Amino acid sequence: MPSDGSSPLDLIDLRLLPAWVKEPEAVPRYADYDGPEETERAQARGSTDRPVRHGSRHRDRSHAGPERHDRDRPGRRSPGHQQRAKTESGKRDFRPKAEVAGPVLLPWIDVRFLPQTVAFENVAAQIKAGTAAYSVYALARLFLQKPERYLVRIAVKGDNTLFWLADSSVIATDRADLETVAFPAMKGEYYRSEVTLNEPVKGNFTSVARERTSGTLLGPTNHHSYQPQLRRLYEQRFSRRMDFPEFQRKIEIVNDPLLVEKWKEDARKVTTFTTLREEPVRAFSTEAEAERHFREKYLPSLITEVREVVIDGLSSRSLRDRRIAHTIENAWAAEMRSPSNMMQELAGKFRASGLQIFRHRKGMLFVSPIRPRPIEETAVSDSVRLILETVKASARINRKDLAEKLIPSDLKSDPEEKMKLALAAELRWLIRDGHIVEFNDGALDLPRVKAVAPTATAENTTESSAVSSTPTEDTAIDSSQAVPEQASASVPSVQDERFESADITAAEIHSSVASRHAEGCETDKVGAADGNDPPSAETAT
C-alpha cells in the first residue's frame, strides 16, 4: 500500500488471498513485437505473396500469450493424457462423480415419539410444585429437542417384519445386516478384552495405505496384514454404501514417516478376548476368532423377528441400517414442525399424573395443576370483581401491570402497602381456586367458557315463549317450586356443563396445532416470570 494514501484502499492489500492472486499482472513479453522474424522467414522461403499483417488485430492476439504451433506434434502428450496420469497416480481426479442415490424411505414403517420416563417425571413434578399453566405445544417441542428426552416406537405395517437384537437397541430390515453389526454391539457383554504389546514390527517401510474419509491406517501394501484389514474395514463400514472396487479407489498411499511410526505402534497392540458367560473360560487371540465364536454360540438366540419395538432416542440416531435411520429422521423433522403425536402422548400422561389439561387462547392446549373454574362476578366482593373486570379488559396483563391499574400512585406508603397485601391475597386466592389462570410467562387471563350454540338458544326461546303464551293449568309453574334469581346468583362457580371438557382426542390435538400455527408463533415463550420457571426436561444422572 502506498505511503502517501493517494490511492483508494483495496482488500487485496490485506494479503488474505492466494499467492497467485497477489502477484502483479504479468505483461506479455511480445506485446509490442511487430513480427520482423516472421517476415525474414517468409523471405527466406521465397513466399512473398502472403505478407505478414501488422496492426491492432495482431497486437491483440499477442496479449493472449505466444501462440503454440506444436499442439499436434506426434511426440507431444495431450492434456487428457496428463489428466489421466494424475488420476491414476491418486493425486487429482477430475472425472465426473457418479450421483449417489440417498437412502430410500420405508413407507411400511410407522414411527412415533414418546416422552422419556425420567424426563417426564421431572417436568410433571415441576408443574405440580407451582400454579402456572404451560403450553403443551411448547412442552412437546421441548421433549423433541434432545434425543435423551424421548423414546422411538417403531411399528411395521402389512406383512413386513423387523429384525431385532435382543437386550439392545439394534434393529435392521435385513437379517444379514444385523448379523454384521451384532458382535461390535454386544461384545462388551459376552467377552472381556485385554490389550497387550508385542514386539515392534520389523522391516523398513516408507509408506502406508490410508482410507481417505475415516483416516484409518491399513499399513503398507506389501505387509501381510494389509489385505485382511482392508476387507474387514470394507465389511464393517462401507459394504452397504458402495461396492469393493469403488471402496478401493478411496485408499491412498501416504509417504509420511510419522504415520508409518503410528501404524507400527498400532500394529504392536494385540487384543485378546475372554468369554464371560461360559464355563470353562475360553480365550481368543484375535477379534475374528471371537466373532466366529459369538456367531456360533450366542447370535442365533439373540436375533428375533418383531413387528413393534421401542428404542431410546440416542440409539435411534446411530442405527447402522440407513433406511430405518433416514425414516426416523424424516419423522422427527415432521414432528418438530407439528408435534401432534407427542402432544397427545403428553396429554394422556399428564392426565394420568393428576394434572389438568384445558383449552385456552384460540383452542390451544395447556397443562396446569389447577383446574380452571369460571366464577360469577356478581357473587364476589367489589375488590375481587374489580380484579376480574381488569383482567378481562386487559389482554395478557401481568401482576405488576394489574397493581399499577388498581392501586393509585398518589397514596402514602402505609395505605399503599396495605392495598398491595390485600391485592396479593385476593389474587392468590383467585389463582389457586382456578378463577384466574396464570401462565408461565406471567400473563393473567380468565378461564375460557364454552359458548352456547345459537340454534339451541333460539329453540329454547321459542319453546319458552310458546309455553308462557298458553294459559293452562298444566303448564303453569308453581312459584314455590321455581328457583329464585337471587339464589342462583349466590352460586360461586359456573356449572361444569359450561366449562369445556378436559378429555382430549387426537382430532383436538391436531386442531390445537393448527390454531397454534394460525397465531403466527412457532413456539410459546417458555421463560421465567414471577418465580414460575419453565420446567426442565433434563434427565437425572
Side-chain angles (χ1 to χ4, degrees):
M1 184 172 62
S3 58
D4 55 359
S6 59
S7 61
L9 179 65
D10 195 352
L11 291 180
I12 198 173
D13 295 329
L14 299 178
R15 298 295 188 267
L16 299 177
L17 299 176
W20 61 270
V21 178
K22 295 184 290 185
E23 293 178 356
E25 183 179 0
V27 180
R29 297 181 180 179
Y30 307 104
D32 301 326
Y33 180 65
D34 292 335
E37 183 179 353
E38 291 292 336
T39 306
E40 294 176 0
R41 290 181 181 177
Q43 293 176 357
R45 291 193 301 265
S47 56
T48 58
D49 53 340
R50 295 182 62 184
V52 179
R53 292 178 295 176
H54 307 288
S56 61
R57 181 179 178 184
H58 182 70
R59 285 193 297 271
D60 291 341
R61 291 182 61 186
S62 64
H63 284 279
E67 185 177 0
R68 302 287 299 273
H69 299 280
D70 56 347
R71 294 185 183 274
D72 298 328
R73 289 190 305 175
R76 183 180 180 274
R77 293 185 176 183
S78 62
H81 179 83
Q82 296 178 357
Q83 177 177 338
R84 287 192 298 270
K86 290 182 179 181
T87 303
E88 294 172 359
S89 63
K91 295 181 180 179
R92 303 181 68 181
D93 189 359
F94 294 100
R95 291 176 297 180
K97 302 294 183 181
E99 296 183 0
V100 180
V104 181
L105 295 177
L106 302 176
W108 48 271
I109 286 184
D110 181 39
V111 180
R112 195 176 182 92
F113 297 92
L114 312 175
Q116 205 269 348
T117 303
V118 178
F120 174 81
E121 291 176 354
N122 290 340
V123 171
Q126 294 179 61
I127 295 177
K128 290 180 180 179
T131 59
Y134 295 88
S135 168
V136 180
Y137 178 92
L139 291 177
R141 296 196 53 155
L142 182 68
F143 276 89
L144 291 170
Q145 283 178 359
K146 293 185 178 181
E148 300 91 348
R149 301 173 181 172
Y150 62 81
L151 305 174
V152 183
R153 184 174 65 193
I154 305 171
V156 297
K157 305 174 185 177
D159 299 333
N160 300 283
T161 57
L162 293 173
F163 294 94
W164 172 56
L165 190 63
D167 301 331
S168 69
S169 298
V170 182
I171 57 175
T173 56
D174 188 13
R175 186 184 182 92
D177 294 342
L178 189 62
E179 292 176 352
T180 304
V181 300
F183 180 74
M186 304 294 292
K187 65 180 179 181
E189 299 184 12
Y190 291 89
Y191 301 91
R192 180 176 62 252
S193 60
E194 296 179 0
V195 179
T196 57
L197 294 178
N198 286 348
E199 296 181 359
V201 179
K202 297 180 180 180
N204 186 16
F205 302 100
T206 59
S207 62
V208 291
R210 181 177 61 181
E211 201 278 321
R212 288 194 183 98
T213 57
S214 62
T216 304
L217 296 178
L218 302 174
T221 56
N222 57 349
H223 195 265
H224 64 86
S225 64
Y226 171 72
Q227 289 296 336
Q229 292 188 12
L230 180 67
R231 179 61 65 173
R232 188 182 304 113
L233 180 63
Y234 170 72
E235 293 294 340
Q236 292 180 353
R237 304 187 58 176
F238 298 94
S239 59
R240 288 175 297 276
R241 285 182 281 175
M242 62 187 71
D243 53 8
F244 189 69
E246 184 179 356
F247 168 71
Q248 286 181 309
R249 287 194 289 269
K250 293 182 175 293
I251 306 301
E252 60 180 355
I253 307 301
V254 183
N255 299 319
D256 190 349
L258 296 179
L259 293 180
V260 174
E261 292 299 325
K262 184 178 183 303
W263 168 79
K264 288 184 178 181
E265 289 296 326
D266 295 341
R268 291 184 59 191
K269 299 178 182 179
V270 178
T271 304
T272 58
F273 296 87
T274 307
T275 58
L276 297 175
R277 302 186 181 185
E278 186 176 348
E279 292 294 341
V281 177
R282 298 183 58 182
F284 305 95
S285 58
T286 62
E287 185 176 356
E289 295 178 0
E291 183 174 0
R292 189 180 305 110
H293 176 266
F294 175 80
R295 286 173 175 263
E296 297 174 356
K297 183 74 174 179
Y298 305 109
L299 188 58
S301 60
L302 292 178
I303 297 180
T304 56
E305 294 187 24
V306 295
R307 296 185 56 83
E308 182 177 338
V309 64
V310 178
I311 62 177
D312 59 278
L314 288 175
S315 300
S316 68
R317 296 196 174 186
S318 58
L319 290 176
R320 299 296 297 272
D321 194 314
R322 299 183 66 206
R323 295 186 298 174
I324 298 181
H326 192 55
T327 303
I328 294 176
E329 182 182 354
N330 273 22
W332 178 85
E335 191 73 10
M336 281 294 292
R337 291 191 297 268
S338 178
S340 57
N341 292 332
M342 179 62 80
M343 290 174 63
Q344 187 175 6
E345 295 291 339
L346 289 176
K349 286 184 172 292
F350 282 140
R351 193 182 301 110
S353 301
L355 297 172
Q356 303 295 327
I357 302 293
F358 64 95
R359 288 188 175 277
H360 202 73
R361 295 181 184 173
K362 299 182 180 181
M364 293 166 51
L365 292 179
F366 288 86
V367 56
S368 173
I370 304 171
R371 181 178 182 180
R373 296 186 302 167
I375 187 173
E376 292 290 349
E377 298 180 3
T378 57
V380 295
S381 62
D382 295 340
S383 58
V384 174
R385 182 170 59 254
L386 183 60
I387 294 176
L388 296 175
E389 292 176 353
T390 305
V391 172
K392 184 178 181 180
S394 304
R396 302 183 63 84
I397 191 173
N398 55 29
R399 295 192 181 198
K400 181 180 178 181
D401 297 338
L402 181 64
E404 293 177 354
K405 288 189 176 184
L406 297 182
I407 299 177
S409 59
D410 54 351
L411 292 179
K412 296 182 179 180
S413 59
D414 293 340
E416 183 179 2
E417 288 296 328
K418 292 182 179 179
M419 292 189 67
K420 286 183 178 180
L421 293 176
L423 176 62
E426 293 174 344
L427 185 60
R428 176 174 178 173
W429 171 77
L430 290 172
I431 292 175
R432 290 196 172 273
D433 278 17
H435 306 316
I436 289 181
V437 180
E438 184 179 21
F439 299 93
N440 65 299
D441 59 354
L444 303 174
D445 203 351
L446 299 181
R448 181 184 181 187
V449 180
K450 187 176 181 180
V452 181
T455 56
T457 305
E459 292 177 358
N460 295 337
T461 305
T462 305
E463 292 177 2
S464 60
S465 61
V467 170
S468 60
S469 62
T470 306
T472 59
E473 297 179 357
D474 296 337
T475 57
I477 301 177
D478 190 2
S479 60
S480 61
Q481 300 177 358
V483 179
E485 295 181 359
Q486 296 179 356
S488 62
S490 62
V491 180
S493 61
V494 181
Q495 298 296 328
D496 292 343
E497 287 78 3
R498 294 181 60 187
F499 179 71
E500 200 158 353
S501 174
D503 295 335
I504 308 300
T505 62
E508 292 175 333
I509 298 281
H510 286 282
S511 64
S512 174
V513 176
S515 302
R516 186 68 181 84
H517 287 295
E519 192 179 10
C521 302
E522 293 185 358
T523 56
D524 281 358
K525 295 180 180 178
V526 190
D530 298 315
N532 293 325
D533 295 332
S536 173
E538 296 296 337
T539 57
T541 57

